[in-house]
Amino acid sequence: MRHEKAGRLLELARMLAATSEGLTLDEMAERLGVGRRTAERMRDAVRDVFPQLEEVDDPPARRFRIPAGLDGLFQAPTAEELAALSAAAEVFSQQGAGARAGALKSLERKVLSATRAAARRKLAPDLEALLQAETIAVQAGPRPFEDETVLGAVREALLSMRRLRFRYAGGATPGRVREVTPFGLLFGRSNYLVADEGQGPRNWRLDRIADVAVAEGAAVRPHGFSLQDYADRSFGIFHDDTEDVVLRVTPAGAEDALRWRFHANQSVEPQADGSVVVRFRASGMLELAWHLFTWGDKVQVLAPPVLRSTLVEQIDIARRTHTSGPVVAAS
């Protein structure tokens, strides 16, 4: 128990050293999963060990931080942390996300180079064992486009709040030069720039962007725009009319549904017959229809009608493709 309490205090100290603005008592309590009074006692205990802890007035609250960071003695990584970092880099690499894989590999080298030699020697056997015992299952799907030149220009425009100019190979007029206000990046099965050309935010595929440059004009983004809220409005990437979706998962698939996330803002309601009703509000009915095929006969669409019709249309397309004309066997 003493060891556990010491670990929790060190965890709080790391939190306080990792923030430039500082944390309020309520924020400490939330991150640690404890009550406010417990967070207050833990803060006092951290102050006893780290007297450099300082208070910052931020009416109506007070914030606390350790401005100079912690000595490397308290920051040695564990084998599990390094294995997770290596695994994340491998996932990105297998997905074709070379830029982010390289960034994580660079971070891994920095962490190891900042770790004391004795700690590195102690970590090495466990880390090697974990890396050999854990691997990533490769899943079928597109390899997202990640060109460091394109990503670098987009990030420069975002940080400097400038407009972005590029030649776009998609849309109604392929090859036309566009100048947009960038809002952010969406990473997923394909990678997109979210930007406004004058008609509101839309998605621009990164693999169709060329001759990219940061423009001179200032980029003024709408007040209160949230990239996360924008992403959450769609089931996947495509944005169209937003619909109230209601799915019934049969008893045969209920256990899986209780562990599955269809949407970030879903509600899940177990039913008396053992089925599960899932509700959420989203756009992107075509992508949702594609996903629902993976559930077979375990999911029934209760609403909206457009999702049911989209499913039927996709079935008809597959049927026509595989029943019209002779099938030629590959030699």
Side-chain angles (χ1 to χ4, degrees), residues 89-98 100 139 141-145 188-189:
E90 182 62 24
V91 169
F92 280 143
S93 180
Q94 291 184 7
Q95 291 176 345
R100 284 178 290 165
Q139 297 182 347
R143 292 174 63 83
F145 173 87
R189 291 172 63 84

Side-chain angles (χ1 to χ4, degrees), residues 83-84 87 129-136:
L130 285 175
L131 292 176
Q132 290 181 2
E134 300 175 359
T135 191
I136 306 298

